[in-house]
């Protein structure tokens, strides 16, 4: 694999998309070829699965159903977009990847994280990011941001979950970071945008 794979993780409202855009611009100015993508999504079929996952339904959507849908989307995404870009030597930046499933379905929904990991290993062929940037902030602040003024559209199905769910997700992310300190870099996402990006760049620059 010739390229570099960097993922952005964190709770809702942590600013992943904004920071990924800032990093992409910074890398582009340095002459690097960058691909920005997101999960669930990234390819036409994966984007269709995204709509299924984030929409509200009149029936209960089981945690295990979410696991399989995310994995199906991820299988298309990895083989259709991420791997070809990495083979071409590009820097791939992804807004969420497998760690989101571990945090949201494993810790948030209370499913066996090892089961979630096994399903996703099958979907991705074991692809692991070179670096995962965990934008961390208290769930109360994340929900205030994600549900606040200026947002476009109604909150999605996960943003509508209660505070306890989002607390479990955050603790899940922090536990994942403790288990893999070499891959994860925890970024304090509570400060101003430029200060958060300074931390992001300090984490990314050694890879280059």
């Amino acid at each position: 694999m010739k390229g570099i794979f960097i993922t952005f993780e964190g709770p809702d409202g942590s600013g992943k998309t904004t920071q990924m855009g800032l990093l992409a611009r910074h890398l582009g100015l340095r002459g690097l070829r960058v691909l920005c993508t997101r999960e669930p999504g990234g390819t036409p079929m994966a984007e269709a699965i995204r709509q299924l996952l984030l929409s509200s339904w009149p029936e209960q959507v089981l945690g295990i159903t979410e696991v399989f849908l995310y994995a199906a989307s991820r299988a298309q995404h990895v083989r259709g977009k991420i791997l070809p870009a990495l083979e071409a030597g590009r820097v791939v930046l992804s807004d969420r990847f497998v760690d989101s499933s571990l945090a949201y379905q494993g810790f948030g929904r209370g499913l066996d994280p090892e089961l979630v990991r096994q399903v996703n290993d099958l979907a991705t062929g074991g692809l692991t990011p070179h670096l995962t940037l965990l934008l961390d902030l208290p769930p109360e602040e994340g929900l205030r941001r994600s549900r606040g003024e200026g947002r476009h559209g109604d909150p999605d199905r996960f943003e509508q979950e209660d505070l306890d769910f989002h607390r479990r997700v955050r603790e899940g992310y922090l536990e994942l970071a403790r288990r893999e300190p070499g891959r994860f870099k925890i970024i304090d996402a509570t400060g101003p945008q430029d200060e958060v990006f300074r931390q992001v760049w300090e984490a990314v620059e050694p890879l280059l």
Side-chain angles (χ1 to χ4, degrees):
M1 188 164 56
K2 302 173 185 176
I4 298 173
F5 185 26
I6 300 172
T7 55
F8 285 76
E9 295 285 356
D12 295 288
S14 59
K16 300 182 309 304
T17 305
T18 297
Q19 292 298 324
M20 190 173 81
L22 291 172
L23 179 59
R25 180 176 180 276
H26 206 69
L27 294 173
L29 291 173
R30 288 175 166 249
L32 295 168
R33 295 181 300 150
V34 181
L35 170 68
C36 289
T37 189
R38 69 174 183 176
E39 289 209 341
T43 74
M45 179 177 283
E47 289 289 339
I49 296 172
R50 178 187 180 89
Q51 293 303 311
L52 290 174
L53 278 162
L54 300 186
S55 298
S56 297
W57 296 92
E59 62 189 298
Q60 179 188 8
V61 180
L62 301 175
I64 192 64
T65 302
E66 292 176 352
V67 169
F68 286 124
L69 284 173
Y70 274 109
S73 172
R74 195 162 283 135
Q76 292 292 127
H77 189 206
V78 166
R79 291 164 178 80
K81 195 166 190 177
I82 295 176
L83 285 178
L86 291 173
E87 287 299 326
R90 300 176 73 177
V91 179
V92 177
L93 308 179
S94 182
D95 185 342
R96 299 197 182 281
F97 196 57
V98 173
D99 296 301
S100 282
S101 288
L102 292 166
Y104 279 80
Q105 282 70 53
F107 290 88
R109 299 289 190 220
L111 298 179
D112 179 2
E114 186 55 34
L115 170 64
V116 177
R117 190 181 296 278
Q118 289 174 3
V119 171
N120 279 280
D121 281 347
L122 180 63
T124 65
L127 178 64
T128 302
H130 294 96
L131 174 66
T132 295
L133 300 166
L134 173 55
L135 274 64
D136 179 55
L137 80 170
E140 295 87 349
E141 173 63 14
L143 290 176
R144 185 191 68 78
R145 293 181 184 182
S146 64
R147 296 171 179 173
E149 295 181 5
R151 67 160 290 135
H152 299 287
D154 297 325
D156 65 38
R157 196 164 54 81
F158 290 95
E159 291 171 338
Q160 295 173 27
E161 291 285 351
D162 62 26
L163 184 57
D164 284 343
F165 173 82
H166 290 280
R167 283 173 174 159
R168 293 193 299 273
V169 169
R170 185 196 188 194
E171 287 305 312
Y173 271 128
L174 293 174
E175 176 61 24
L176 293 171
R178 284 191 288 268
R179 293 177 185 178
E180 293 188 70
R183 173 167 67 89
F184 275 87
K185 297 297 180 184
I186 299 177
I187 307 296
D188 180 358
T190 60
Q193 186 179 102
D194 56 349
E195 169 58 24
V196 176
F197 183 70
R198 182 191 64 77
Q199 298 175 67
V200 167
W201 182 245
E202 283 183 356
V204 171
E205 190 173 22
L207 274 180
L208 308 177

